[in-house]
Amino acid sequence: ETGVTQSPTHLIKTRGQQVTLRCSSQSGHNTVSWYQQALGQGPQFIFQYYREEENGRGNFPPRFSGLQFPNYSSELNVNALELNDSALYLCASSRPTGTGNTIYFGEGSWLTVV
Amino acid sequence: QQQVKQSPQSLIVQKGGISIINCAYENTAFDYFPWYQQFPGKGPALLIAIRPDVSEKKEGRFTISFNKSAKQFSLHIMDSQPGDSATYFCAASGKGSGSARQLTFGSGTQLTVLP
C-alpha cells in the first residue's frame, strides 16, 4: 500500500474524445509525476508537477496536460485521443526533488481507446 | 543517452535458485538506481534502490550490485520463490527538463519461479 490512489481504474474511450484521470498523492508528498505504460513495456515519463506548476516533461505532445491542486492531488488530461494512447497511466508521488527520494506509484488507470 | 537497457527479457528459475537481472545505462548524470516489482494489473512497487557511491546493497533476499565504471547494475534474488514471479524493472533517476527528477525505466524482465 503506497498511499497513492488513482481513479478510475478502468475506462474505455472513443478515438478523438478527451479523458481526465485523477490521482491523490501520499500524505506529505508534494511532487506528483505521471507515467504511461504500454502493454509489455516499461513506464515512460509524461510530466511532473511541484507546487501546482509543471516542472518537467517527457517526450509527449501538448494534448497531454495536467493540473496539481493545493492539496497536492493531480489530474492528467488527454485530448484528441488516439488508438495508441491505450495504456496503463501511472501516478507517482514523492517529496521535493533530491537524490534518492523514493517514488511511490499508484495502481494505475487502464485506458482503452477504441 | 537516456536509455536504460535491461536483460534478459524473460527468466525461468527453479524454486530456491538465484535470479539475476542485468541493466546498463549511458547517462552519467543518473544518480539513483531503483528496482521495481510489478504484478499483473498492479502498479510498480519499489523493491530496493542504490546510489552510485555504493557498490552493493542487500535487503533480505534482494541484492543490487553496482559497477560505476562499467555503467551496469544488477538485481540478484536469492532463494527465489514462486511468489517472486512478476515483472521486474530497473530504473535510473536524474534531473531531466526543468528541475524534475524523472525515472527512466528498462524494458522489464518477466520472472517465473517454478515450484
Side-chain angles (χ1 to χ4, degrees), chain B:
Chain B
Q1 187 155 5
Q2 292 291 327
Q3 195 174 13
V4 175
K5 295 183 179 179
Q6 183 171 346
S7 63
Q9 187 175 11
S10 63
L11 180 62
I12 300 175
V13 174
Q14 292 287 342
K15 178 182 176 181
I18 302 174
S19 304
I20 302 174
I21 305 170
N22 301 298
C23 284
Y25 65 97
E26 289 295 324
N27 189 348
T28 55
F30 287 146
D31 57 8
Y32 175 65
F33 302 87
W35 284 88
Y36 284 84
Q37 178 190 57
Q38 187 174 30
F39 292 103
K42 300 291 186 181
L46 179 69
L47 262 182
I48 186 172
I50 197 168
R51 301 179 192 182
D53 54 348
V54 176
S55 62
E56 185 175 282
K57 184 175 181 180
K58 182 177 180 179
E59 289 184 0
R61 297 186 293 111
F62 301 93
T63 300
I64 299 179
S65 297
F66 188 85
N67 186 328
K68 187 175 180 178
S69 61
K71 291 185 285 186
Q72 295 176 346
F73 58 111
S74 60
L75 176 69
H76 293 63
I77 305 174
M78 312 300 288
D79 187 26
S80 298
Q81 299 296 313
D84 296 331
S85 297
T87 301
Y88 292 80
F89 291 96
C90 62
S93 173
K95 283 194 175 179
S97 61
S99 61
R101 293 191 64 84
Q102 64 186 69
L103 287 171
T104 299
F105 283 84
S107 54
T109 296
Q110 187 166 353
L111 172 65
T112 302
V113 182
L114 301 176

Side-chain angles (χ1 to χ4, degrees), chain A residues 35 37 48 55 57 103 107, chain B residues 36 38 43 97 100-101 103:
Chain A
Y35 289 77
Q37 185 176 20
Q48 183 180 92
N55 74 333
R57 189 177 187 93
I103 297 172
E107 302 289 19
Chain B
Y36 284 84
Q38 187 174 30
S97 61
R101 293 191 64 84
L103 287 171

Side-chain angles (χ1 to χ4, degrees), chain A residues 4-8 19-26 29-35 46-54 65-77 89-94 109:
Chain A
V4 181
T5 59
Q6 293 187 241
S7 64
V19 68
T20 297
L21 308 177
R22 296 178 175 83
C23 171
S24 294
S25 60
Q26 187 182 98
H29 285 188
N30 57 10
T31 301
V32 174
S33 303
W34 286 90
Y35 289 77
I46 301 175
F47 45 56
Q48 183 180 92
Y49 277 82
Y50 172 62
R51 290 185 175 178
E52 303 175 52
E53 300 260 343
E54 182 181 301
S65 63
L67 283 173
Q68 187 182 30
F69 301 99
N71 66 353
Y72 308 140
S73 65
S74 177
E75 286 183 355
L76 165 65
N77 299 289
Y89 287 86
L90 295 162
C91 174
S93 77
S94 60
S109 293

